[in-house]
Amino acid sequence: MLLSLIPYLWKQIAEVRNVKMEINYGIENLKFGQAVPVNSDVKLQATVKSVTDLRGTIKVVVEAKLLIRNHAKPAYTGDVIFLYHFL
């Protein structure tokens, strides 16, 4: 499923250093826009919405859109939540 691409593509965009543990905590407000045709080129458009310190664990909320080349509507949009624990 294309949702599983989010962590991989996020690591292509942002480098987070000195991470002891990273958890893909969830997705909120997920909306599917359209199906992705086979062999389509896709890219992740991501914007950091918030960064919160939860007593040593950092919660990062990223607004994510999976864009399909030559299509106006994204495949999906949603707020992806990552939890980071640093060394």
Side-chain angles (χ1 to χ4, degrees):
M1 181 165 211
L2 289 171
L3 288 174
S4 64
L5 287 176
I6 292 175
Y8 171 77
L9 294 172
W10 173 244
K11 289 181 185 203
Q12 305 299 310
I13 296 171
E15 179 182 0
V16 182
R17 296 181 183 171
N18 299 320
V19 174
K20 182 177 180 182
M21 180 173 45
E22 175 184 348
I23 299 170
N24 302 328
Y25 192 69
I27 301 175
E28 296 178 340
N29 305 317
L30 179 65
K31 294 180 182 159
F32 289 97
Q34 66 177 356
V36 178
V38 174
N39 295 325
S40 294
D41 289 328
V42 296
K43 70 177 181 177
L44 183 70
Q45 181 181 56
T47 304
V48 175
K49 289 180 73 173
S50 66
V51 177
T52 308
D53 185 355
L54 305 173
R55 293 187 224 130
T57 299
I58 306 301
K59 177 183 175 183
V60 179
V61 178
V62 177
E63 180 183 1
K65 292 181 184 180
L66 189 71
L67 305 176
I68 309 166
R69 183 179 294 203
N70 300 323
H71 288 79
K73 290 174 64 175
Y76 57 75
T77 61
D79 295 335
V80 181
I81 303 167
F82 294 104
L83 299 179
Y84 293 100
H85 186 71
F86 294 93
L87 301 174

